[in-house]
Amino acid sequence: MIKKYRKKPVEIEAIEFIDTPERIEEIFNFMENETMRVDYSMYGRPAVLIETLEGTMRAEVGDYIIKGINGEFYPCKPDIFEKTYEEVEDESME
């Protein structure tokens, strides 16, 4: 029997990759010093290389780096990010 399922609402943390020294430092801090490196070898297109259980993944400028529900990090293209996530109001600021 075929059933329908809905994705459970989950809050994540994410940061957009912008190629500035300040943002790269923010990403490094966000990832809690996990294995990552910035790579400029592919046609001058900067990327953050993230070690995941599935292997090394590339986050290019404009991509989001997501911290998953188990503390894992992975990149997400902006169009997928916009379709999947919406910003949550920070209740601590009220």
Side-chain angles (χ1 to χ4, degrees):
M1 170 185 276
I2 298 173
K3 299 179 182 180
K4 290 187 178 189
Y5 293 87
R6 179 179 298 121
K7 191 174 186 177
K8 293 178 182 179
V10 175
E11 288 186 17
I12 54 98
E13 294 180 312
I15 187 168
E16 184 178 5
F17 175 36
I18 301 169
D19 186 30
T20 65
E22 296 81 14
R23 182 53 59 95
I24 291 169
E25 183 177 352
E26 288 174 346
I27 291 170
F28 182 75
N29 292 331
F30 170 67
M31 294 184 65
E32 301 165 352
N33 306 325
E34 285 288 322
T35 304
M36 58 136 320
R37 62 188 184 280
V38 180
D39 177 50
Y40 291 92
S41 67
M42 187 176 234
Y43 310 109
R45 292 177 26 203
V48 172
L49 304 179
I50 304 166
E51 297 300 327
T52 71
L53 293 175
E54 293 82 28
T56 304
M57 300 184 83
R58 293 177 62 86
E60 297 182 343
V61 171
D63 290 353
Y64 288 84
I65 299 169
I66 295 174
K67 181 178 185 179
I69 59 173
N70 294 317
E72 74 282 14
F73 295 94
Y74 57 92
C76 183
K77 293 293 180 195
D79 59 330
I80 302 298
F81 187 86
E82 297 296 327
K83 290 176 185 175
T84 308
Y85 301 100
E86 60 186 19
E87 189 172 348
V88 176
E89 294 295 323
D90 187 354
E91 295 175 6
S92 67
M93 296 181 77
E94 294 177 359

